[in-house]
Amino acid sequence: MTNKLINFFCVALGLLIISAPVFAHHGAAAYDTSKPATIKGKVVEFLFINPHCQLYVEVTDEKGNAVKWAGEFTNPSALHRRGWTKEMFKPGDPITLIGDRAKNGATVIRVLKVGLSTAERSRHSGPEMSIETSFSRS
């Protein structure tokens, strides 16, 4: 009986140690949360997929070069509950992403809010539509 109990606790401890990295990636440690960043550009592609939705945006930098940014959102089911769909953004749509930029300087942003042009806002305005994401600064 004692051996079974010891084996059980060893397996449970091993599983706990192995599972820690799975939860670690959901934090905001890779992003600079001290100052929000804003990027403006045109939608290239919107991937409504697990584990995190991705929105690729072409932004013109200060030198006039096109730079591809990746906006990371929460999971599709959380966004779907806010009225989002996979057809929501079309290539070429003008868009503004507000969020936390990657600390390592990569052109990646953890999106907290999406700004749409007046035309795009009217296309997406429904009683259940929200352009806020479920990421928070906490």
Side-chain angles (χ1 to χ4, degrees):
M1 180 68 174
T2 305
N3 283 341
K4 286 183 181 181
L5 190 58
I6 290 171
N7 286 341
F8 171 77
F9 282 115
C10 287
V11 168
L13 181 62
L15 290 174
L16 183 63
I17 290 169
I18 291 170
S19 66
V22 172
F23 294 106
H25 93 276
H26 285 95
Y31 301 96
D32 182 0
T33 59
S34 66
K35 54 182 186 264
T38 300
I39 62 165
K40 295 180 180 188
K42 294 194 182 291
V43 172
V44 174
E45 182 179 23
F46 181 50
L47 301 176
F48 202 69
I49 57 172
N50 279 315
H52 300 282
C53 295
Q54 299 285 321
L55 179 65
Y56 295 97
V57 178
E58 186 175 282
V59 177
T60 304
D61 69 10
E62 57 279 346
K63 296 178 183 176
N65 300 317
V67 178
K68 190 173 182 181
W69 278 75
E72 181 177 292
F73 295 84
T74 188
N75 64 74
S77 58
L79 292 176
H80 182 72
R81 287 190 296 272
R82 288 171 173 75
W84 292 48
T85 67
K86 63 182 177 180
E87 296 86 18
M88 188 167 171
F89 302 109
K90 305 280 187 240
D93 284 351
I95 196 160
T96 302
L97 302 179
I98 301 165
D100 301 323
R101 187 166 180 186
K103 286 181 181 176
N104 66 2
T107 54
V108 176
I109 189 168
R110 178 176 169 252
V111 182
L112 302 172
K113 191 172 184 178
V114 176
L116 301 169
S117 69
T118 305
E120 294 308 309
R121 211 174 293 126
S122 65
R123 186 175 89 192
H124 297 302
S125 61
E128 301 298 316
M129 176 53 65
S130 170
I131 56 173
E132 297 285 334
T133 71
S134 65
F135 279 139
S136 65
R137 290 204 172 271
S138 55

